[in-house]
Amino acid sequence: MGIRGLMSFVEDHSNEFFTDVKLRDTKIIIDGYALFHRLYFNSNLELRYGGDYDSFTDVVQKFFESLFACKICPYVVLDGGCDISDKKLNTLKDRAREKIQMAHSLSVGGGGYVCPLLIREVFIQVLIKLQVCFVQCFSEADRDIMTLANHWNCPVLSSDSDFCIFDLKSGFCPLNGFQWRNMNTIKGTRDSYIPAKCFFLDTLCCHFGNMNKTLLPLFAVLCGNDHVNLPVMETFLSKVRLPLGAASSKGRRHHRVLGLLNWLSRFADPTEALDSVLNHLPKKKRGTVKALLCSSMEEYLQAQGRLQDFFQHGAYTCPDTWNPGLPPWVLAALARGQLSPFISDALVLRRTILHTQVENMQRPNAHRISLPIRQVIYGLLVNAPPHVRNVAWDALPPQPPTFSEVERINKNIKTSIVNAVELPKDHSDLSKLTELSLASRQMLLLETLKVKQSLLDPVPAALKLPVAVSCYWVQHAEATLKLHHLQALLLGMLLGPLRAMVSSPEEKAVRGGGAEALREELRRARAPPGTRLDLDTAHVFCQWQCCLQMGLYLNQLLSTPLPEPDLTRRKQLTRRKSIQGGEEDR
């Protein structure tokens, strides 16, 4: 979620609210979404060329190796899709607009932060390789993280300010104070630890006159979070005089946070404080506002789900408040990260969000090329069990099955209506999709990608899906696709196998130095920093990533009739000099 201004407030007062700790020999619950964003954006990785996935893989590996060296046992918890209420839709649309602006800035040589399209998939593959325990929640993960951390009495690692509101027994360690690159050793021992800062809710409450900690959820919704942004709350804030206390210049920068905390500390409990809030509002709006504030405050209560059951027994019971009657195999695949939140959003809400890349903003968004693949995905999902359909669809009059897509148009967003493809009857029951034969599932995948099986027969197993996707890309790409684009892509596919050869003593002995020499030649082909980005070329490769993303999702939904490719050692070769606006190969 995130509370406006709270994290910068507590960090500005770090000496008052944080305790220095030496983390070692403990479990730790990690907010996966916050971690992979932090590791990518804070590791000086390339942001303009579609994703420096192999360098990101190295950073993630080093992070977890630091934890292992300190006997810290990580449990990574990932956000899932949106819940049935879809209450964050406006926030998600605002973020989509912000990403478009940042992507545009990056595309013309400016700054910004836009994650590569496949970063989540790469992160999960690294977790699997390192045997790090992880789970993907069915919706937002914050409450599940809090509940699990308190069950195991261990700290939480995140950058989300909501963890300053949750009452965590062992505290909250912000990522920007977690010095995993600077491990130390306890004096007189060989025991390593990671220096970190830890936030405890009791310290915050003590600072504000020993205020009742149950008031903090009301503070969060009054201050403004991802779920609540009521214009009427500005009426309350304009009428009540928020006491700043002994405000320093830093305090004045956080007028609302400081004032609300001081004001709430006067009340004995949330009921008394809520009544005071409502008394400042017009009578006709009090009932509606009270219901919304109360429901929003419940977001900070303990979760129904028991993640410890998943980590200990492999079973994660979906909360009744979320479960729209999905087939058991779908729920299990979602929890294991084998299906993307994109799939659950399409299933539960019939609405998806297509994320913008660093592409040519003057052209149709890069996701348009993969629309036929998505229509097949939707065709498989539209035949969900009746209980799922009842959630959002059965109230509608009979009509062709459609889905909504939030996508980029120029430098803004729009919601487009997309028809699902009508599929054969043997694909008409989502609960029995896994019972189809491998041949049937593979045939549907290859027909969607417009590739014949005979073409893939000589291709190594690990490259079958990328090659099939590339064939689809070539057939559907715009006129700007050139031969050297395809050559660069195929060379990029070689980097992973070449790296494996170089890293393996056995392979190196058999093949001599040829693999290493070729790998170094390909690495030198990357353009130096500051080289002008050819927007048309970047757009073509963004289209390829969109095709690969949806090809992956369809392959996963069909229970991987083709082996899932290793994304962790894949580079976007839009960084090659030949496609940086130069003349080579043109």
Side-chain angles (χ1 to χ4, degrees):
M1 288 182 278
I3 300 157
R4 297 184 188 100
L6 180 58
M7 185 59 77
S8 60
F9 170 72
V10 296
E11 288 177 343
D12 277 357
H13 300 79
S14 59
N15 291 335
E16 300 162 57
F17 298 133
F18 288 96
T19 302
D20 291 326
V21 295
K22 300 175 179 179
L23 276 183
R24 68 174 309 276
D25 198 17
T26 181
K27 292 177 180 175
I28 191 167
I29 313 302
I30 299 176
D31 178 346
Y33 182 86
L35 178 63
F36 70 67
H37 277 78
R38 178 82 185 183
L39 292 182
Y40 200 94
F41 292 146
N42 284 63
S43 300
N44 198 32
L45 300 182
E46 184 55 65
L47 296 171
R48 296 194 302 153
Y49 299 102
D52 196 349
Y53 295 133
D54 59 345
S55 298
F56 173 68
T57 295
D58 292 337
V59 172
V60 176
Q61 287 181 339
K62 289 173 184 175
F63 173 85
F64 284 106
E65 286 167 1
S66 295
L67 268 57
F68 300 151
C70 299
K71 298 182 180 178
I72 298 173
C73 183
Y75 291 85
V76 176
V77 183
L78 293 158
D79 287 323
C82 299
D83 66 16
I84 293 171
S85 72
D86 208 15
K87 54 183 172 284
K88 281 187 67 173
L89 179 58
N90 287 335
T91 297
L92 293 173
K93 286 184 174 181
D94 288 342
R95 289 179 181 168
R97 293 185 186 97
E98 290 170 4
K99 286 180 181 177
I100 289 171
Q101 296 307 315
M102 286 192 283
H104 172 66
S105 176
L106 287 165
S107 72
V108 296
Y113 295 96
V114 177
C115 260
L117 191 63
L118 300 174
I119 193 72
R120 172 193 161 276
E121 284 69 32
V122 173
F123 182 66
I124 286 177
Q125 287 191 358
V126 179
L127 295 180
I128 293 171
K129 286 183 179 182
L130 296 177
Q131 298 183 321
V132 173
C133 296
F134 75 94
V135 65
Q136 180 174 272
C137 292
F138 296 115
S139 56
E140 197 164 32
D142 292 1
R143 293 172 64 195
D144 293 283
I145 290 172
M146 177 266 289
T147 304
L148 179 62
N150 281 341
H151 178 79
W152 281 342
N153 198 21
C154 65
V156 167
L157 183 64
S158 178
S159 57
D160 191 332
S161 55
D162 280 308
F163 291 106
C164 295
I165 301 300
F166 292 124
D167 189 9
L168 294 163
K169 296 177 183 177
S170 295
F172 156 49
C173 295
L175 277 162
N176 60 0
F178 191 74
Q179 301 178 51
W180 64 273
R181 288 186 170 97
N182 299 311
M183 286 189 299
N184 288 326
T185 304
I186 297 175
K187 192 173 182 180
T189 73
R190 294 183 178 179
D191 296 331
S192 298
Y193 68 88
I194 293 176
K197 293 186 178 296
C198 199
F199 175 91
F200 292 91
L201 188 61
D202 286 340
T203 305
L204 179 70
C205 291
C206 182
H207 183 80
F208 288 94
N210 292 315
M211 70 183 295
N212 185 342
K213 64 180 67 174
T214 61
L215 288 161
L216 271 299
L218 179 58
F219 158 76
V221 297
L222 291 177
C223 204
N225 62 19
D226 289 352
H227 295 159
V228 179
N229 186 20
L230 281 176
V232 74
M233 295 317 302
E234 296 301 324
T235 303
F236 157 72
L237 292 168
S238 68
K239 289 185 176 182
V240 68
R241 296 186 64 182
L242 297 179
L244 292 179
S248 63
S249 59
K250 290 181 178 179
R252 285 192 293 273
R253 188 163 78 90
H254 298 101
H255 178 282
R256 177 174 294 194
V257 171
L258 188 60
L260 278 172
L261 287 170
N262 276 312
W263 183 77
L264 285 169
S265 67
R266 301 172 175 180
F267 298 99
D269 57 52
T271 302
E272 181 185 346
L274 183 57
D275 287 342
S276 181
V277 171
L278 296 174
N279 286 337
H280 287 86
L281 303 179
K283 287 185 178 180
K284 62 181 180 180
K285 294 185 177 180
R286 291 178 186 176
T288 302
V289 172
K290 182 177 181 179
L292 179 59
L293 292 179
C294 288
S295 65
S296 299
M297 288 164 63
E298 291 176 358
E299 296 293 333
Y300 295 92
L301 300 177
Q302 183 165 301
Q304 291 181 354
R306 291 169 51 88
L307 290 186
Q308 62 268 25
D309 291 343
F310 179 84
F311 288 124
Q312 292 169 348
H313 310 297
Y316 177 27
T317 303
C318 179
D320 292 337
T321 54
W322 183 90
N323 187 358
L326 297 180
W329 79 265
V330 173
L331 293 175
L334 286 169
R336 297 188 189 110
Q338 295 166 346
L339 288 177
S340 164
F342 175 92
I343 298 297
S344 64
D345 282 350
L347 260 174
V348 175
L349 301 170
R350 256 194 177 181
R351 192 265 300 143
T352 58
I353 296 179
L354 306 177
H355 297 288
T356 300
Q357 303 174 76
V358 182
E359 55 193 73
N360 189 336
M361 300 293 163
Q362 304 304 314
R363 292 169 61 182
N365 79 76
H367 287 281
R368 290 286 179 90
I369 192 174
S370 59
L371 175 59
I373 306 176
R374 295 197 302 279
Q375 289 177 299
V376 172
I377 292 174
Y378 298 151
L380 291 168
L381 300 180
V382 78
N383 297 309
H387 183 46
V388 179
R389 295 200 303 270
N390 286 340
V391 171
W393 319 339
D394 282 356
L396 299 173
Q399 56 187 323
T402 61
F403 289 72
S404 299
E405 295 184 335
V406 179
E407 61 175 347
R408 178 186 68 79
I409 178 167
N410 298 321
K411 296 178 192 173
N412 209 332
I413 62 170
K414 65 171 286 190
T415 300
S416 301
I417 304 302
V418 173
N419 291 320
V421 166
E422 186 175 348
L423 296 171
K425 288 185 178 180
D426 58 350
H427 299 85
S428 63
D429 187 348
L430 182 65
S431 64
K432 296 180 180 178
L433 188 58
T434 55
E435 299 174 15
L436 290 176
S437 68
L438 173 62
S440 295
R441 289 180 282 119
Q442 190 174 92
M443 181 182 299
L444 176 59
L445 176 64
L446 296 185
E447 285 179 352
T448 303
L449 298 178
K450 296 181 171 28
V451 178
K452 292 183 178 179
Q453 177 64 54
S454 58
L455 186 146
L456 295 181
D457 286 340
V459 177
L463 293 178
K464 286 184 186 293
L465 185 58
V467 168
V469 163
S470 299
C471 292
Y472 173 93
W473 172 64
V474 169
Q475 295 176 73
H476 289 79
E478 299 165 0
T480 50
L481 177 59
K482 307 292 188 209
L483 175 61
H484 62 266
H485 295 150
L486 182 58
Q487 291 170 334
L489 180 65
L490 295 175
L491 288 172
M493 291 182 188
L494 288 177
L495 279 174
L498 285 173
R499 182 176 182 130
M501 292 178 193
V502 171
S503 303
S504 168
E506 295 82 5
E507 289 280 354
K508 196 170 182 179
V510 172
R511 301 178 189 275
E516 187 165 5
L518 179 56
R519 177 169 172 257
E520 286 306 309
E521 183 70 22
L522 289 175
R523 289 175 69 89
R524 283 196 297 272
R526 288 188 292 175
T531 305
R532 180 176 65 86
L533 179 67
D534 184 319
L535 278 181
D536 286 337
T537 294
H539 199 85
V540 166
F541 281 92
C542 286
Q543 290 178 322
W544 181 80
Q545 278 217 70
C546 292
C547 296
L548 180 59
Q549 181 190 46
M550 291 304 153
L552 279 169
Y553 291 172
L554 177 58
N555 191 49
Q556 291 171 344
L557 187 58
L558 294 170
S559 300
T560 58
L562 292 183
E564 188 152 306
D566 182 1
L567 303 174
T568 65
R569 294 304 174 192
R570 200 170 299 282
K571 247 186 214 301
Q572 275 295 92
L573 282 197
T574 47
R575 301 174 71 180
R576 292 183 68 242
K577 292 179 182 177
S578 65
I579 53 177
Q580 286 293 322
E583 296 301 320
E584 182 181 339
D585 293 337
R586 297 201 175 201

